[in-house]
Every structure is written in C-alpha cells, then in structure tokens.
C-alpha cells in the first residue's frame, strides 16, 4: 500500500534545486521565533492534496487550510525521494493588496515543489468532508496511512508535529519534526511574501 512516508534509513544528499531564487531558511535568522504545531497533509488518491495546520490535534478551528496545486499521488511520489521542499510565494497581484495583512491570510500562492513551478495553492475554509477527516485523526499525533472513505476513494494522510518558524512579517516556514529520526523524510513548507 502506498503511503506518504517511506520507512528507511537512507542518507539523502540535497541538490541545488532553485536556479533563479533560493528559498530562504529562516531558522537561523536572529529575529526568528519558533513554536510547535500540528500539521496534516491529506487528500484522496485521485484528488488534490490539502495542508492543514492546527494549534493541537483536537482543534476544530484550523489556523490554515490550503489546497495545494499537486495531487496526493504526485506529492507521495516526491516524498518517496526523501526530501520535499514546498515554496509558496505570494502571487504578484496579491502583494500590494495584502501587504499589511498577516502572511497566512493571503488567499492565493504561487507554488513550487522541489524547484518546479506546479501552479497555485489556494486558501479555503474547511468543508464538512475536511472536518470529518480531521475528527477521525484527533487521536493521532503522529502517523501516516489511509482512511477508507468509500470503496472507490480513500483518503491518504500524514500527520505530525511541525516546527513553525516566524522569520519576519513576510516570511514563515513549517518543518516536519521526526521524533524518532527514522522516517528518512525531510519536509519543509515555506511561505514568502516578496515585495520586489
């Protein structure tokens, strides 16, 4: 069964994947603050994947829910490689309109996955189906697997603790924390509002 996280003890060598604009890693910036939150990546095998962040696994009011520009199976394929870097950059026509808003309130993001432009990620309100998935995962703090929704459509998920790094008013990132250090998985999601 195909899951989102491969179980292996491989050593991965990171390549230079961004030719035009490297993604900033805010963790070592002197003004950064870090917190730990619950992150869930989920979606049907045939549909788009969503990324949800919550203050804790039982929260009924997500901080953010994004529909990403890739399918669940595409993201799973990228994750099997071991390193996934998702960059979300504020869409040019949104920069000035939302320049004074909090970073995660921006509704549309240009999305890059491991250096490739893949389309747009869209912020949305949780649907009844989304909330049903999150309720089923309330008791899970960390894990990956499949929730059978219907015989012809099941939901794949990855849930874990993410380190939330606030770099500035215009930059934020989320990094999957592997408490056992045996997943062989590095997953980071970067948000960047570029005013240039």
């Amino acid at each position: 069964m195909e899951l989102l996280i491969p179980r292996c003890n491989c050593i991965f060598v990171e390549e230079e994947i961004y030719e035009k604009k490297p993604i900033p890693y805010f963790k070592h910036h002197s003004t950064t603050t870090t917190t730990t939150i619950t992150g869930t990546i989920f979606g049907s095998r045939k549909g788009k994947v969503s990324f949800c962040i919550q203050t804790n696994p039982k929260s009924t009011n997500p901080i953010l829910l994004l529909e990403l520009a890739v399918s669940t199976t595409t993201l799973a394929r990228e994750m099997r490689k071991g390193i996934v870097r998702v960059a979300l950059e504020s869409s040019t026509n949104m920069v000035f309109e939302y320049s004074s808003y909090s970073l995660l309130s921006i509704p549309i993001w240009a999305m890059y996955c491991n250096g490739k432009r893949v389309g747009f990620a869209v912020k949305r309100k949780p649907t009844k189906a989304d909330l049903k998935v999150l309720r089923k995962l309330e008791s899970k703090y960390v894990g990956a697997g499949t929730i059978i929704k219907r015989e012809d459509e099941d939901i794949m998920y990855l849930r874990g603790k993410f380190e939330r790094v606030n770099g500035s008013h215009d930059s934020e990132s989320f990094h999957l924390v592997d408490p056992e250090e045996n997943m062989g998985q590095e997953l980071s999601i970067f948000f960047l509002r570029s005013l240039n």
Side-chain angles (χ1 to χ4, degrees):
M1 181 179 293
E2 181 182 74
L3 299 179
L4 285 174
I5 293 185
R7 290 280 180 177
C8 63
N9 293 308
C10 304
I11 298 174
F12 297 95
V13 179
E14 182 176 0
E15 299 177 358
E16 187 66 37
I17 57 176
Y18 290 91
E19 297 178 3
K20 295 183 179 179
K21 187 184 296 182
I23 296 177
Y25 186 71
F26 312 114
K27 195 170 184 177
H28 303 294
H29 195 281
S30 60
T31 60
T32 60
T33 59
T34 62
T35 55
T36 301
I37 53 90
T38 296
T40 309
I41 295 173
F42 65 95
S44 67
R45 292 179 186 270
K46 298 177 182 179
K48 295 280 184 74
V49 67
S50 295
F51 175 57
C52 177
I53 54 176
Q54 301 162 274
T55 53
N56 62 72
K58 297 182 183 295
S59 173
T60 57
N61 186 24
I63 298 170
L64 176 71
L65 179 62
L66 279 182
E67 183 177 288
L68 303 182
V70 295
S71 68
T72 307
T73 52
T74 297
L75 185 62
R77 184 171 62 245
E78 289 297 317
M79 294 186 76
R80 283 199 300 272
K81 298 175 183 177
I83 297 176
V84 175
R85 297 285 174 88
V86 173
L88 299 167
E89 187 174 17
S90 57
S91 180
T92 304
N93 61 339
M94 294 286 176
V95 169
F96 295 105
E97 183 179 352
Y98 288 89
S99 59
S100 62
Y101 286 63
S102 66
L103 186 64
L104 298 184
S105 67
I106 296 175
I108 300 175
W109 300 86
M111 179 176 167
Y112 301 81
C113 184
N114 284 347
K116 297 179 182 178
R117 175 72 179 266
V118 293
F120 291 93
V122 179
K123 181 180 178 181
R124 60 181 177 81
K125 293 183 178 180
T127 64
K128 289 182 179 179
D130 295 327
L131 294 175
K132 186 176 181 180
V133 169
L134 295 175
R135 280 195 297 270
K136 285 189 175 183
L137 295 175
E138 279 184 357
S139 62
K140 296 184 183 296
Y141 286 79
V142 177
T146 303
I147 300 172
I148 298 176
K149 186 178 179 183
R150 291 195 301 268
E151 188 174 338
D152 61 340
E153 183 182 7
D154 48 4
I155 303 294
M156 299 171 67
Y157 74 90
L158 159 64
R159 169 166 276 207
K161 291 183 178 180
F162 282 73
E163 185 179 39
R164 180 180 186 177
V165 183
N166 293 95
S168 70
H169 179 67
D170 299 313
S171 61
E172 194 162 335
S173 58
F174 297 84
H175 309 275
L176 178 64
V177 177
D178 181 2
E180 298 178 0
E181 298 184 354
N182 64 359
M183 289 183 177
Q185 179 64 57
E186 182 180 329
L187 170 63
S188 296
I189 300 174
F190 301 85
F191 291 80
L192 177 65
R193 172 166 39 202
S194 175
L195 300 177
N196 296 330

